[in-house]
Amino acid sequence: MDYSFSDEQVEVLAALKPVLAKHAGSTRARAVLADSGIDTELIGELAEFGIFEPEFVEEYGPLMLAAIVEEVVEHAAVAPIGTELFARALADIGALPGPLALVQSRGPEHVPFGAQAQSVLVIEHGRVWHVEHGATAGAENRTFPIPVAPITVASDAVLRELPVDARTLNAIWRLGLATEIVGASTAALKLTIGHLTAREQFGRPLASFQAIQHRLAEVHVRIEGARWLCRNAAWHSAAPLEAAIAATAAMETARVAMWELQQLQGAIGFTLEYDLHHFTLRDHVLRQSMEGARGSHAIAAAEERWLHPASA
Amino acid sequence: MINRYSGPGRLQGSYQVDFTWTEEDVTFRQELADFLEETMQDLDLRPGGGPGGDDHFEISKRFTSVMAERKWLTPSWPSQYGGGDATAWQHIIMSEELWKRGEPRGPQYMNVNWIGPAIIAYGTDEQKAFHLSRISAGDSLWCQGFSEPEAGTDLASLRTRAVRDGDDFIINGQKIWTSYANNAQHSFFLARTNPDAEPHKGITIFLMPMDLPGIEVRDIPAFVGEHIFHEVFLTDVRVPASCVLGTVDEGWPIIRDVLAHERVGAPKYARAEHVLDKYAQRAIANGEFDKPDVRRLFGEALAACEAARQLTYTSIDERAKQQRPSGIAYPARAAMVQADRAVANAILAVLGSDALGAEEVASDQLFTAFTAGVATGTYEVQLELISRLVLGLPRRK
């Protein structure tokens, strides 16, 4: 057991920061949302950096992907970085053009970046299929900091089976969503702490009130638990039990962070000029995805733990 | 980018996140588990329970003597004091395996986790010679004389007085909520020796025998278990000065130091998860587990336990590397409380009115979850420490 990053891993993360400072951030996010709805330029920069290369995972391990997703989402990147990065590294899906979208049925099912997806994957009869023809995206919703659209797979769609099973791909997918929640919630908590420390009311910083401190501390506890569970699951290459546990913890993290941090920032937190919604509303989208808010990840965790003999 | 960092591999002295146990750790856990399965068959311990009343006390006495024979009572102590130089990771493995079996060491887990280490760090040669061999032989029962009627969470405001009188101190005052005081031979006891100093200064630690004249122990009946809480009244108790641990008036820094170990010394998530496992098996057997709502509750409770485990491990990692304890243990403690509640909520929701049966061990989990947020530092204290030490939030001006 060891919970410290190696010097090399720390260096990689440090080298990533200036890339994100230059090519991501909330100003950039606003521009992308007003335009295509996906930051292909940033994805290109990250590809240049090397994170999508198989050698990168071989060199630094899948754990590093989790740390990178956290960082990228903290910088408000308008891209499905979590699912894209984990799926490319851990699932045998070939060179399908990205971004990928995954639906659990023929839909319509709302998914992040549904309108931008270049490849739609559908789970049917416990198997994973690439929809070669016949997947359509409905009316896009840009209310949130990442776009969402309903995907429908037509009854006469042309499907090609992929050499990955549903259990594996779902585990990878939920780990991608969960790790994004860690990044988004971290950024939201930092913003809130900064705001409440600077803003004085009743002659003292709001963050000096115990009633507020305890709630911030509880959000922190949720985030850190989810963070290490996601890293653990990533380290185990998104093993189904570990990924489901991480996603379950992330759902609760997103729920608590979204309500508490939006509440604690008051009216400024609702404005479009302020950055909080880039993170709290991303939490919201991620939590609703894959039916997480309905408990799908928790149910998967219970089944993996107690019904699958291999992991019992 | 890749080429830039594809160096010679791990740099010397650097760490690499690694979520696997070493072969030695796996063997250690397996041997321990085998030993416990064998030893505990005849102990008849309720898996949901924790260290507590008289029945538990008798069991723990038998159990710790067997543990001591096997040299497994104080494995993480230095070998010169009867320990086995086990690693910090083996220490938590041992705690997990024991807690999930109802902590058969009873109160002696405290001896091993922090009372012994405190004596090793701050004790005189005489104190070490007397206490450490008894603790590692499983022959020593302690209670902690901390809380008072007017000093609970605000421990530093304690009032029990110790006044120097020749080679002795005369102690007068009252302690409350003292677990194990009914059976303890010694108390790790705090008293005020300098009433004029600031609250945190002027407190002295005594390794006080509990059979001294003037000590009276009274039971406080409570619904969370029998003989869990006591009041201890001290009237002109004469304690030899040789019982002082460390320096007179300077007990507080020692308390802070040794309790840093206590924060994660009791991995309650391991016990909670074990209870959850038992009830999951029961739910599978009676068909309840076919309901998605039930699976969801169990999955959520499982995640809460595993979050507490991960946070605890971040703290163990710090100890394994002999770093100064940061605030990292406090989120772990808070998460343990959340885990105990999540497990209680899950099993109570599944059991419904069946949870009210007289023989139902679900009550144990309910009561455990109630006490989890209060014992050894409240949930709110953990949040307070996170606010200050981890998040760096401003104090009130």
Side-chain angles (χ1 to χ4, degrees):
Chain A
M1 288 285 175
D2 197 324
Y3 279 66
S4 303
F5 286 93
S6 70
D7 292 350
E8 292 158 296
Q9 289 173 325
V10 170
E11 276 181 53
V12 172
L13 290 170
L16 182 65
K17 278 182 197 271
V19 176
L20 293 170
K22 191 171 170 194
H23 298 281
S26 56
T27 307
R28 169 86 192 147
R30 284 182 184 88
V32 172
L33 279 168
D35 187 21
S36 67
I38 186 160
D39 199 341
T40 42
E41 204 181 300
L42 173 65
I43 295 170
E45 291 294 335
L46 294 172
E48 187 98 332
F49 191 84
I51 61 171
F52 291 105
E53 303 295 328
E55 292 87 348
F56 186 88
V57 187
E58 280 167 29
E59 179 83 19
Y60 302 108
L63 166 90
M64 269 302 275
L65 305 182
I68 286 170
V69 171
E70 290 170 23
E71 198 68 50
V72 172
V73 175
E74 267 197 62
H75 284 79
V78 186
I81 186 68
T83 51
E84 202 68 18
L85 198 51
F86 281 117
R88 299 283 172 192
L90 302 174
D92 194 2
I93 51 170
L96 294 174
L100 308 165
L102 173 68
V103 287
Q104 303 289 321
S105 69
R106 295 207 171 206
E109 181 181 332
H110 282 87
V111 295
F113 301 96
Q116 290 75 19
Q118 297 294 307
S119 302
V120 173
L121 312 181
V122 61
I123 289 176
E124 209 164 71
H125 311 301
R127 293 189 283 180
V128 181
W129 309 81
H130 172 227
V131 186
E132 293 194 320
H133 185 76
T136 49
E140 193 183 30
N141 182 1
R142 293 228 181 152
T143 311
F144 308 118
I146 50 175
V148 179
I151 285 181
T152 306
V153 179
S155 55
D156 60 352
V158 180
L159 308 182
R160 181 175 59 88
E161 191 176 357
L162 294 174
V164 55
D165 64 89
R167 185 178 168 215
T168 303
L169 189 64
N170 276 336
I172 290 167
W173 215 261
R174 57 171 53 102
L175 176 59
L177 301 177
T179 311
E180 285 203 12
I181 284 173
V182 172
S185 303
T186 301
L189 180 61
K190 280 183 186 167
L191 261 183
T192 307
I193 287 174
H195 175 72
L196 296 180
T197 303
R199 183 166 167 78
E200 297 205 353
Q201 290 283 276
F202 308 103
R204 53 193 271 216
L206 282 168
S208 71
F209 285 89
Q210 195 176 53
I212 287 171
Q213 291 182 339
H214 284 195
R215 289 161 69 181
L216 294 171
E218 284 189 309
V219 174
H220 171 79
V221 172
R222 295 290 181 191
I223 293 172
E224 293 311 305
R227 183 189 312 283
W228 285 102
L229 285 170
C230 283
R231 289 175 175 179
N232 176 59
W235 198 93
H236 287 97
S237 297
L241 173 65
E242 280 75 8
I245 286 174
T248 305
M251 290 306 109
E252 185 62 4
T253 302
R255 191 185 67 80
V256 173
M258 167 178 100
W259 288 111
E260 288 293 63
L261 302 179
Q262 206 65 61
Q263 169 66 28
L264 290 172
Q265 295 240 355
I268 187 81
F270 305 135
T271 65
L272 292 177
E273 65 165 307
Y274 193 67
D275 286 346
L276 185 68
H277 68 282
H278 285 285
F279 307 110
T280 48
L281 293 184
R282 189 171 189 139
D283 273 345
H284 165 64
V285 172
L286 296 166
R287 200 168 84 90
Q288 297 305 120
S289 300
M290 275 189 100
E291 307 306 338
R294 275 195 201 159
S296 65
H297 306 307
I299 290 168
E303 290 170 353
E304 291 294 341
R305 166 82 166 210
W306 291 293
L307 298 182
H308 287 277
S311 45
Chain B
M1 181 65 223
I2 291 163
N3 290 337
R4 219 171 114 202
Y5 288 103
S6 57
R10 279 179 65 169
L11 303 175
Q12 211 166 18
S14 73
Y15 300 106
Q16 160 99 44
V17 179
D18 186 343
F19 293 98
T20 47
W21 297 101
T22 63
E23 231 170 87
E24 294 81 42
D25 290 345
V26 172
T27 309
F28 180 79
R29 193 189 285 271
Q30 192 54 52
E31 280 178 7
L32 180 64
D34 291 344
F35 165 78
L36 293 173
E37 289 308 316
E38 196 182 307
T39 314
M40 291 187 60
Q41 263 177 3
D42 55 11
L43 290 182
D44 190 30
L45 208 58
R46 275 154 60 121
D54 280 344
D55 54 336
H56 207 118
F57 166 73
E58 283 306 323
I59 289 167
S60 78
K61 266 209 309 198
R62 277 190 286 146
F63 178 76
T64 46
S65 62
V66 183
M67 284 284 277
E69 263 171 48
R70 187 73 190 254
K71 292 274 175 211
W72 259 349
L73 200 53
T74 55
S76 49
W77 288 13
S79 52
Q80 68 182 112
Y81 300 115
D85 291 317
T87 64
W89 289 108
Q90 286 167 350
H91 184 84
I92 193 72
I93 288 172
M94 173 158 270
S95 297
E96 285 182 354
E97 293 302 315
L98 289 165
W99 271 85
K100 83 178 187 193
R101 290 172 174 84
E103 186 45 284
R105 291 176 298 185
Q108 294 198 45
Y109 85 91
M110 297 193 302
N111 306 3
V112 178
N113 282 1
W114 63 269
I115 294 176
I119 295 171
I120 290 172
Y122 301 100
T124 62
D125 289 344
E126 290 74 26
Q127 288 168 342
K128 288 178 190 170
F130 182 85
H131 289 295
L132 297 179
S133 57
R134 282 172 173 77
I135 290 177
S136 56
D139 208 15
S140 187
L141 288 162
W142 287 75
C143 61
Q144 54 181 46
F146 288 2
S147 294
E148 297 181 4
E150 302 300 327
T153 294
D154 182 12
L155 184 59
S157 69
L158 62 89
R159 295 177 183 177
T160 291
R161 281 282 278 131
V163 179
R164 185 87 193 214
D165 182 39
D167 288 340
D168 299 330
F169 283 83
I170 310 286
I171 299 185
N172 280 285
Q174 184 189 347
K175 296 288 173 180
I176 195 166
W177 314 124
T178 320
S179 300
Y180 324 119
N182 52 335
N183 290 311
Q185 297 146 349
H186 286 87
S187 176
F188 195 95
F189 194 90
L190 307 184
R192 186 164 299 287
T193 36
N194 184 351
D196 302 323
E198 288 173 49
H200 294 84
K201 295 169 182 168
I203 293 173
T204 300
I205 300 169
F206 294 89
L207 307 175
M208 185 179 77
M210 284 295 283
D211 59 356
L212 297 175
I215 298 178
E216 187 196 345
V217 177
R218 284 185 210 157
D219 193 53
I220 306 175
F223 69 82
V224 289
E226 290 174 9
H227 309 298
I228 296 268
F229 300 127
H230 305 89
E231 287 176 293
V232 181
F233 297 90
L234 302 105
T235 312
D236 294 330
V237 178
R238 186 169 282 274
V239 183
S242 60
C243 292
V244 170
L245 181 71
T247 310
V248 172
D249 288 350
E250 289 172 19
W252 189 257
I254 298 180
I255 288 296
R256 277 223 311 231
D257 182 36
V258 299
L259 289 188
H261 292 276
E262 174 67 3
R263 305 268 180 232
V264 290
K268 295 177 179 173
Y269 57 83
R271 193 201 47 74
E273 201 167 309
H274 185 65
V275 170
L276 194 66
D277 273 329
K278 294 248 165 200
Y279 277 91
Q281 295 309 333
R282 186 163 143 182
I284 290 167
N286 67 20
E288 282 288 315
F289 209 73
D290 294 339
K291 299 176 185 165
D293 285 354
V294 170
R295 292 184 189 184
R296 176 180 185 166
L297 284 165
F298 274 72
E300 286 172 348
L302 174 63
C305 292
E306 287 296 316
R309 182 196 303 278
Q310 286 298 331
L311 292 173
T312 300
Y313 286 2
T314 61
S315 171
I316 300 298
D317 185 60
E318 196 173 62
R319 200 190 298 177
K321 289 169 186 158
Q322 299 184 321
Q323 294 161 345
R324 252 183 85 77
S326 66
I328 212 167
Y330 305 117
R333 279 289 309 276
M336 282 192 218
V337 177
Q338 293 168 353
D340 255 328
R341 286 184 194 164
V343 170
N345 278 328
I347 64 178
L348 294 175
V350 172
L351 287 171
S353 58
D354 288 348
L356 304 176
E359 294 303 313
E360 184 51 64
V361 278
S363 301
D364 289 351
Q365 181 57 26
L366 173 67
F367 299 156
T368 299
F370 278 140
T371 57
V374 176
T376 63
T378 64
Y379 182 66
E380 288 72 18
V381 168
Q382 314 307 324
L383 297 182
E384 196 74 23
L385 291 165
I386 293 166
S387 302
R388 222 168 55 227
L389 302 178
V390 184
L391 301 180
L393 301 181
R395 279 172 182 263
R396 186 175 185 166
K397 281 181 196 166

